[in-house]
Amino acid sequence: MRNMKPKVLFAAAMLVSLFLGICYAEEGGRLYSSALREARSGNKETAFMHFRSFLANYPDSRYARDALFATGEYYFLISDYADSVQAFTRYLDDYPDSPCVSFALVYLLKIAEKRGEESLASDLKKKIATLRQMSFLFRESKEYKYRSALFRKHKAVYYIDRAEFYIDGELFAKISY
Amino acid sequence: MRKYLTKVALFLFLIILLISASASIVCNIILAKSKNTVLEASNKYFPQKVSIGNLLYLPPCFIVITDASMAEASGKKENIISVPQAWIRLSLLELIARRRASISGISLYRPQADYPRLREFLKENFERIMEFIKHLPKQDIKISIKEAELRPAQNDDREHYIAANFFLKIRGNSVSAKGSAGRNFRGTSLLRRGSEIKRPEAGVPLRFVFKGVLADSGISIENLELMRENLYAKFWGDSAGNILSLNGFGFANTFFTGRDGYARAAFNIAGRLKDALAGRAAPRYPAIDLSKVNLYVLDINCRINLLLPRLRIERLSFSLNNNPVSVQGSILFSRPVGIGLAVSSNQAESGKAPVENLKKVDLRLQGILENSAFTGNGMLSLDFIKKKKASPPLERLKLGFKGLSVNPSGYPRLKLSLKGLSLFCLTESNIYRMFLDGMNALVYLQNEKSKFIEFNSKLYGGSVNGWGRVDLDTFPPRVSSAVRFRGVDANKLEGLLVHLSKVYGRMYGQAYFSSYPRLILNGGMVVENGYLRDFEFFKWLSETFSLPSLRKIDFTKLSSNFTVNDEGAGLHELKLNSQDVNLSGYFRLGADDLVSSKLSLSLSRELLKESPKFAPLLRLAADPGPASLAFNFQLSGVLDAMNFQWLSSDFKKDVQDAIPGFIERKIERSVEDLIESVQ
């Protein structure tokens, strides 16, 4: 009986930790969900504040990647290019294998062009061009889609000698190579 | 009484006249007798044969020497220098008060010298002359040389000579000198120039003015000016012991072509007198026209160690048209003259905006100078600023030459030969190398505004010949060149294009280069009856699709035209004709290594039958169809990760008609996986 006591205490502690963890995750999930809800309703500012809070409190969450992209996107929409660059650069550093890297690079390219940073824009174009090596045996083009946490539809269409990027059906950027 | 005084005066005058005449006669007898003594004294210093026509004393204080000359001691004994008339002025004060013959002035009239012989004489007797000058007594003296003629080599036109005037004055420690030298013509012969008949042009003389102060260890150079209608240079500094230190500046108009008609370079008393009587001012040489100056040499700073016969340039720096230049090295005045020089121009160190995209220029020369011909080895290196936009970005161009021989005897046509010339070119992404063996060239320098070169050389088992032209009337100069090469071992040209190492056969072709209006290199090449061994593209096809025959392709003709300009480089009208493989199309590489290419590859059915992977495809193709199947494809994107598209063709249509969509997608995914695995 005496030997049983520590084991029970350990099991109780584990249960408490698990419970707290679930609560923590649920709290994070709730925050992210409410951010999505606000974004879907068109309240981008509120959604952005939730994403920011989410990133600050739950940086290791599986939703952090999309939340970070959304903050970069929001900064771009309000023309706060310095913060947008910061967010997308962090995105590229933290998630280099993400399928949305090309979209983050295109945002950075547009900002460089708006700022007149020709050399940086040229480097970014080269990066986008080398990101995917494409082969077209039977098709003329290939498409990649991503719906961001701000509910904006991103689409990249690759051809043999160019790539076109659309947001909500409108041409956002075109890179020829 | 008055009559008496007149008689006494007349008597005294006659006595003085008699004494003077007697003294003159006596002096002239003594001088005539001492002529041999003078000649013997000169022989102590110089081995050459010195002769004097007459030695005359003219009261009160002049000695006149006529027909003096110095000739070669052996051989043809032709004159090195001849002086028709020389006047030596003795100091009257010294003569009367101290009864000592002290020379206070020397004037040489119309001395004539044969330049090649004089040069040899000066070279052989330089130390003796310096010794002679050192032993001269330190006293006030004036030396003048009037209407000197320096004749060129015997084979040259005798009408043409260098006319010079020189005046030197030493008073106490103060030294001043001035003079002029310029090309001139004898007589009044006329020359035909184009449709006009004109008098030959007299050269515009180069004048100089010098002022200095003698010191114990050397001389302080207060002012040394060189002036011509197209040149002005000023120097100052000092000479102490062996060290000569000079500072200065200069500028010139290099496009100046001279003036029509004769220039009065020679001093002419009668002419001057005539001008003065007619109220005409003595002719003045026009000053340099600053608005036409195109060459600025500023901030000259040099320190030269005169360890004769060696001259060591310890430091020589100046700015040439705003480009810093530094020179180091030594020149050995022996026979032959030895030269070792390192010239460098570093734009980056100047802190100024560089000229065009040139960053640094280095030239090293090591060799000998004999009979005006230079023979030696050297290296010329040009470093460029890395260009951002233009492609191909040139970073360094280096020329190494061995056994360089430059013979200026036919100037303005310069003969140049090289035992070996290595070319090295570094761009942002590549290194190019080439070696020319036994190169001969003729450089045409006659035209002031453009220079022309013709050359030929052996090149990797074949030969290359061509021409180049540099137009100097713009800055930077415009360069154009055309080259033709014949029978060159294609695989030896791997230094120019690494893929050529896999091409075997004799290459023929031509190339044209121009730097204006835009930088361009284009041309064409053809290799006949050769083969490709392990050519990268075909090697990949061979390994991927099990086609071993593609490892070695015997072809009847491989040809392509090429273009390199500031937008990129490309092969166009590319053609490979062989029994089983035919290739045609173009391949362009632009800025940022972006590729643009369309190629058509035809493989014979016989060849494709080798491959188990192609067997199913062959079954899909129309049968009986053409003897070969054409694969048209497009390449695009960055060179290291090119995109690939199979373009439409009859064969592709047959394949698409025969397989369902999900198979197409499966094949597409397989190829993507293959590409990713390669990446």
Side-chain angles (χ1 to χ4, degrees):
Chain A
M1 190 66 182
R2 192 176 289 170
N3 291 338
M4 288 293 283
K5 200 175 178 180
K7 286 180 183 172
V8 170
L9 283 173
F10 176 74
M14 285 299 290
L15 278 170
V16 169
S17 302
L18 191 62
F19 176 73
L20 287 174
I22 288 166
C23 290
Y24 176 79
E26 277 184 359
E27 177 62 24
R30 269 201 297 276
L31 190 58
Y32 186 72
S33 296
S34 55
L36 289 180
R37 237 185 347 266
E38 295 295 338
R40 193 183 290 120
S41 313
N43 300 325
K44 288 192 174 64
E45 285 74 22
T46 318
F48 163 71
M49 283 192 285
H50 286 322
F51 285 132
R52 252 177 69 96
S53 172
F54 176 79
L55 281 171
N57 294 299
Y58 311 101
D60 299 324
S61 163
R62 63 194 169 107
Y63 304 119
R65 188 178 76 182
D66 289 336
L68 183 58
F69 189 94
T71 47
E73 206 182 348
Y74 176 78
Y75 284 130
F76 180 85
L77 289 171
I78 61 164
S79 304
D80 179 357
Y81 298 131
D83 283 326
S84 184
V85 166
Q86 212 174 352
F88 282 122
T89 307
R90 190 178 142 196
Y91 184 89
L92 294 172
D93 289 342
D94 292 354
Y95 311 105
D97 299 324
S98 160
C100 304
V101 162
S102 59
F103 297 113
L105 285 169
V106 166
Y107 274 108
L108 291 173
L109 168 66
K110 291 300 278 186
I111 293 168
E113 284 175 348
K114 282 174 190 289
R115 287 172 160 182
E117 296 167 336
E118 284 182 26
S119 172
L120 178 62
S122 173
D123 287 348
L124 287 164
K125 275 183 186 173
K126 198 172 175 180
K127 250 183 196 172
I128 294 165
T130 51
L131 203 58
R132 294 174 195 274
Q133 187 174 6
M134 312 298 292
S135 65
F136 305 93
L137 283 181
F138 300 105
R139 284 184 285 170
E140 298 288 312
S141 64
K142 287 181 182 176
E143 287 185 12
Y144 297 88
K145 290 177 182 173
Y146 169 64
R147 195 181 68 174
S148 73
L150 285 182
F151 285 87
R152 281 156 48 93
K153 289 174 188 164
H154 294 72
K155 184 171 81 171
V157 186
Y158 287 88
Y159 298 89
I160 176 71
D161 54 0
R162 66 187 189 278
E164 292 171 357
F165 294 86
Y166 296 85
I167 296 177
D168 291 336
E170 281 188 20
L171 183 66
F172 182 61
K174 183 178 170 181
I175 296 158
S176 298
Y177 38 79
Chain B
M1 186 64 184
R2 194 177 169 186
K3 228 176 193 179
Y4 176 73
L5 283 174
T6 308
K7 277 183 183 178
V8 169
L10 191 64
F11 180 73
L12 281 173
F13 176 73
L14 283 171
I15 292 290
I16 290 167
L17 198 67
L18 202 61
I19 291 169
S20 297
S22 307
S24 296
I25 291 163
V26 170
C27 285
N28 278 317
I29 291 166
I30 294 167
L31 281 174
K33 283 191 173 180
S34 61
K35 197 167 92 174
N36 287 336
T37 316
V38 174
L39 294 176
E40 279 168 18
S42 75
N43 286 338
K44 276 185 189 175
Y45 281 97
F46 307 112
Q48 282 73 14
K49 188 175 178 292
V50 177
S51 66
I52 293 171
N54 288 307
L55 209 54
L56 298 169
Y57 168 75
L58 278 184
C61 57
F62 294 101
I63 294 172
V64 181
I65 302 170
T66 58
D67 299 324
S69 65
M70 180 185 275
E72 287 170 340
S74 56
K76 290 181 182 174
K77 297 187 178 175
E78 291 198 46
N79 282 353
I80 298 166
I81 185 165
S82 62
V83 184
Q85 202 175 89
W87 285 58
I88 296 170
R89 185 193 183 105
L90 302 172
S91 169
L92 204 58
L93 184 70
E94 292 276 320
L95 203 62
I96 295 167
R98 293 173 196 150
R99 280 174 289 165
R100 193 163 67 97
S102 172
I103 297 170
S104 65
I106 299 171
S107 296
L108 308 180
Y109 293 96
R110 295 180 184 275
Q112 293 183 349
D114 184 287
Y115 174 67
R117 292 196 190 97
L118 181 66
R119 187 187 58 199
E120 285 303 309
F121 170 74
L122 292 174
K123 203 192 290 178
E124 285 170 10
N125 298 284
F126 186 79
E127 284 182 25
R128 286 196 197 101
I129 294 166
M130 292 309 289
E131 197 66 22
F132 179 76
I133 291 170
K134 276 181 189 171
H135 283 92
L136 287 174
K138 287 183 179 174
Q139 63 182 59
D140 295 355
I141 195 167
K142 288 177 186 174
I143 298 172
S144 68
I145 300 171
K146 289 171 183 173
E147 298 184 33
E149 288 184 16
L150 192 62
R151 291 192 301 267
Q154 285 230 326
N155 296 337
D156 282 19
D157 181 6
R158 304 286 289 186
E159 295 289 300
H160 159 220
Y161 65 95
I162 302 291
N165 290 292
F166 175 78
F167 178 76
L168 170 76
K169 183 178 164 186
I170 300 174
R171 191 167 188 175
N173 286 334
S174 174
V175 184
S176 62
K178 62 181 178 179
S180 67
R183 192 180 57 167
N184 212 338
F185 291 86
R186 207 180 301 284
T188 55
S189 57
L190 302 176
L191 288 179
R192 178 177 286 278
R193 185 192 288 168
S195 58
E196 290 180 83
I197 295 178
K198 282 192 168 185
R199 287 173 187 277
E201 274 178 23
V204 178
L206 175 72
R207 293 166 291 133
F208 81 92
V209 174
F210 174 83
K211 198 175 175 191
V213 177
L214 290 169
D216 291 339
S217 57
I219 186 166
S220 167
I221 301 161
E222 290 180 352
N223 183 36
L224 171 61
E225 284 176 87
L226 301 175
M227 291 159 280
R228 199 171 179 254
E229 267 182 69
N230 67 326
L231 171 85
Y232 180 82
K234 183 170 178 162
F235 303 93
W236 60 93
D238 60 72
S239 161
N242 294 328
I243 303 295
L244 172 68
S245 301
L246 278 181
N247 292 75
F249 62 87
F251 34 82
N253 167 15
T254 57
F255 299 142
F256 181 77
T257 52
R259 286 177 279 126
D260 285 342
Y262 282 102
R264 186 176 289 170
F267 179 79
N268 185 325
I269 295 172
R272 291 283 173 89
L273 200 61
K274 206 173 163 184
D275 285 345
L277 290 172
R280 288 193 295 264
R284 290 179 65 83
Y285 297 106
I288 186 167
D289 184 350
L290 285 172
S291 66
K292 289 178 182 170
V293 164
N294 64 334
L295 188 78
Y296 294 87
V297 184
L298 306 176
D299 305 327
I300 298 169
N301 184 341
C302 83
R303 183 184 158 93
I304 295 170
N305 197 339
L306 299 162
L307 295 162
L308 291 168
R310 184 180 292 278
L311 182 151
R312 203 168 73 223
I313 302 167
E314 294 182 351
R315 181 187 68 237
L316 170 58
S317 63
F318 52 90
S319 124
L320 179 68
N321 282 3
N322 230 9
N323 304 301
V325 179
S326 67
V327 182
Q328 276 190 323
S330 65
I331 299 169
L332 178 66
F333 289 98
S334 60
R335 193 170 185 176
V337 175
I339 293 176
L341 289 177
V343 184
S344 177
S345 175
N346 194 337
Q347 301 276 322
E349 281 178 6
S350 70
K352 293 169 187 167
V355 176
E356 281 296 290
N357 59 336
L358 205 57
K359 187 166 75 177
K360 194 179 174 198
V361 181
D362 278 308
L363 172 69
R364 287 176 200 282
L365 276 178
Q366 193 83 39
I368 54 166
L369 195 63
E370 192 168 27
N371 297 327
S372 303
F374 176 81
T375 309
N377 304 326
M379 182 273 290
L380 174 67
S381 172
L382 307 169
D383 281 30
F384 298 89
I385 289 162
K386 199 172 170 182
K387 278 189 167 182
K388 289 281 180 189
K389 285 183 180 175
S391 179
L394 196 60
E395 288 188 9
R396 176 177 288 175
L397 182 64
K398 201 167 166 181
L399 307 174
F401 30 92
K402 278 185 183 171
L404 168 69
S405 173
V406 184
N407 189 346
S409 60
Y411 187 87
R413 203 178 66 164
L414 211 66
K415 201 173 173 186
L416 196 144
S417 68
L418 282 159
K419 283 181 183 160
L421 173 67
S422 64
L423 298 163
F424 171 90
C425 181
L426 173 72
T427 68
E428 194 178 42
S429 52
N430 281 307
I431 290 174
Y432 302 96
R433 290 175 198 275
M434 196 163 76
F435 186 78
L436 294 167
D437 186 18
M439 184 181 174
N440 290 299
L442 274 177
V443 185
Y444 297 84
L445 299 169
Q446 191 160 21
N447 193 323
E448 297 261 351
K449 293 183 180 178
S450 70
K451 309 295 171 195
F452 191 81
I453 182 171
E454 281 179 326
F455 59 89
N456 63 69
S457 173
K458 292 176 196 163
L459 177 69
Y460 302 131
S463 65
V464 59
N465 63 67
W467 58 264
R469 178 185 164 136
V470 183
D471 290 324
L472 299 166
D473 51 350
T474 57
F475 195 84
R478 292 172 188 169
V479 182
S480 55
S481 173
V483 176
R484 179 179 288 272
F485 45 96
R486 306 176 69 80
V488 179
D489 277 340
N491 64 315
K492 301 267 177 65
L493 290 171
E494 62 177 314
L496 292 181
L497 188 63
V498 68
H499 299 298
L500 285 174
S501 66
K502 312 290 173 64
V503 181
Y504 294 82
R506 296 279 179 184
M507 184 186 277
Y508 297 80
Q510 69 287 325
Y512 174 76
F513 172 80
S514 177
S515 68
Y516 184 84
R518 57 192 294 224
L519 195 77
I520 188 163
L521 170 71
N522 60 23
M525 56 190 173
V526 59
V527 184
E528 286 180 340
N529 301 319
Y531 61 93
L532 300 174
R533 186 188 287 280
D534 287 336
F535 197 79
E536 284 308 319
F537 172 67
F538 292 113
K539 191 179 165 190
W540 176 80
L541 272 181
S542 162
E543 287 167 359
T544 311
F545 298 102
S546 306
L547 291 163
S549 296
L550 290 180
R551 298 293 292 267
K552 182 173 181 282
I553 301 170
D554 293 308
F555 60 79
T556 51
K557 189 177 178 184
L558 171 65
S559 65
S560 176
N561 291 333
F562 58 87
T563 302
V564 181
N565 56 31
D566 51 9
E567 288 172 0
L571 295 172
H572 43 98
E573 293 170 53
L574 178 66
K575 275 181 191 160
L576 168 71
N577 298 332
S578 78
Q579 193 180 340
D580 291 318
V581 183
N582 284 290
L583 183 74
S584 63
Y586 68 87
F587 187 94
R588 273 199 295 270
L589 188 62
D592 296 327
D593 281 347
L594 287 177
V595 170
S596 167
S597 172
K598 274 188 182 175
L599 294 167
S600 175
L601 174 69
S602 292
L603 301 173
S604 72
R605 283 177 184 264
E606 287 303 310
L607 178 81
L608 291 171
K609 277 179 189 167
E610 281 182 14
S611 167
K613 293 182 181 175
F614 269 107
L617 282 176
L618 274 177
R619 283 197 292 274
L620 296 173
D623 198 23
S628 59
L629 298 180
F631 297 86
N632 300 332
F633 51 91
Q634 183 176 351
L635 301 170
S636 186
V638 179
L639 182 65
D640 296 334
M642 284 186 288
N643 298 330
F644 165 88
Q645 182 166 14
W646 186 10
L647 298 173
S648 59
S649 67
D650 290 340
F651 176 55
K652 183 179 174 181
K653 192 171 176 297
D654 289 343
V655 172
Q656 280 184 299
D657 289 345
I659 59 173
F662 73 93
I663 297 288
E664 274 186 15
R665 286 191 289 278
K666 193 181 169 192
I667 294 171
E668 198 105 37
R669 272 199 300 276
S670 303
V671 173
E672 276 176 12
D673 292 344
L674 179 74
I675 289 169
E676 273 179 25
S677 68
V678 173
Q679 273 186 309

